[in-house]
Amino acid sequence: MHNFKDLKVWQKSIELAVEVYKATSLLPNEEKYGLISQMKRCSVSVSSNIAEGSGRGSSAQFKYFLNISQGSAFELETQLIISNRLELLDDNLSTSLIEKTTEIQKMIYALDKSIKI
């Protein structure tokens, strides 16, 4: 069992979720139930699944939840790309968020590979 609060990847994913919430406040209201909702949910899912997996009883279960977290990170990246192409998020903000998301994806991958089952 890991203390999720000590994991850098969890800390960074919390920071990313906060930034995504702030960024989605810039999107038009008509996206409230579309991209805004999706981006918020998957950004929160990244850190939430890391935390849930760390509290499970086995390394195999932790790896399972890391895989879910990874999927959410890739989903968020896709939604950020779409938001940028629709010109809902400017290039600088979208590039920054995508870079942070990519860093988290790499960190999740490395953590997953480090866990022996």
Side-chain angles (χ1 to χ4, degrees), residues 1-110:
M1 186 152 88
H2 295 81
N3 182 349
F4 65 90
K5 293 177 191 171
D6 292 336
L7 296 171
K8 285 280 186 209
V9 66
W10 179 84
Q11 295 167 8
K12 286 187 175 283
S13 63
I14 289 289
E15 292 168 12
L16 177 63
V18 169
E19 289 185 42
V20 166
Y21 265 71
K22 289 177 181 177
T24 57
S25 72
L26 305 172
L27 273 61
N29 252 356
E30 62 262 17
E31 285 301 327
K32 183 175 184 178
Y33 301 107
L35 280 170
I36 292 173
S37 174
Q38 284 291 110
M39 290 168 67
K40 285 180 173 181
R41 284 189 3 245
C42 65
S43 70
V44 169
S45 176
V46 176
S47 57
S48 296
N49 279 292
I50 292 168
E52 184 172 355
S54 73
R56 295 296 176 132
S58 72
S59 294
Q61 288 178 321
F62 190 24
K63 287 173 75 73
Y64 172 78
F65 281 93
L66 287 176
N67 285 321
I68 293 171
S69 180
Q70 185 75 291
S72 294
F74 280 104
E75 182 181 355
L76 176 59
E77 181 181 6
T78 299
Q79 293 159 1
L80 289 167
I81 292 167
I82 292 168
S83 296
N84 178 253
R85 290 192 183 171
L86 290 171
E87 298 178 353
L88 300 173
L89 289 178
D90 69 46
D91 289 341
N92 290 334
L93 179 56
S94 127
T95 299
S96 173
L97 292 171
I98 289 169
E99 286 172 356
K100 290 173 183 181
T101 303
T102 301
E103 178 185 12
I104 289 168
Q105 291 164 352
K106 291 175 182 177
M107 293 174 78
I108 293 169
Y109 178 82

